[in-house]
Amino acid sequence: RQEETRLDAQIEAFSARREEARRDVDPALLKQYDHIRLKRAGVAIAPAQGGTCGACNMGLPPQLYNQILKGLTVETCPSCIRILYVKPSE
């Protein structure tokens, strides 16, 4: 019971942080994110690693991967439609 109470408090804290962060996001991007999240079992973003999507493991077109590496635009995987990002180490 004690563990359940602790986890509930943690979930509440994370939910509050999530709502706070949502205020700083472009509404159109947020709408896209929410739509993908509903369609993809709660996972709307995925890392692009070595030219592949980290969620579906499909190869990304080289030009798309280069766009993701630049980080100037929001790009999605052509296969699973998740929003792609690159980890800072890459």
Side-chain angles (χ1 to χ4, degrees), residues 46-47 49 51-60 77 79-80 82:
Q49 304 166 327
T52 63
C53 172
C56 68
N57 296 318
M58 293 297 291
L60 301 170
C77 173
S79 179
C80 70
R82 288 182 174 93

Side-chain angles (χ1 to χ4, degrees), residues 4-5 7 13 20 24 31-32 35-37 42 44 48 50-51 53 55 59 63 68 70 74 77 82 88-89:
E4 185 179 328
T5 303
L7 291 174
E20 184 178 321
D24 297 332
K31 184 177 178 181
Q32 180 184 12
H35 177 74
I36 296 168
R37 193 167 162 253
C53 172
Q63 184 60 37
I68 296 164
K70 288 179 185 177
V74 176
C77 173
R82 288 182 174 93
S89 62

Side-chain angles (χ1 to χ4, degrees), residues 12-60:
E12 192 173 317
F14 285 134
S15 294
R17 283 180 52 196
R18 183 175 187 269
E19 288 306 314
E20 184 178 321
R22 288 174 66 93
R23 289 187 220 131
D24 297 332
V25 179
D26 174 47
L29 180 59
L30 198 54
K31 184 177 178 181
Q32 180 184 12
Y33 169 83
D34 287 337
H35 177 74
I36 296 168
R37 193 167 162 253
L38 284 173
K39 298 289 183 185
R40 296 292 177 185
V43 181
I45 62 172
Q49 304 166 327
T52 63
C53 172
C56 68
N57 296 318
M58 293 297 291
L60 301 170

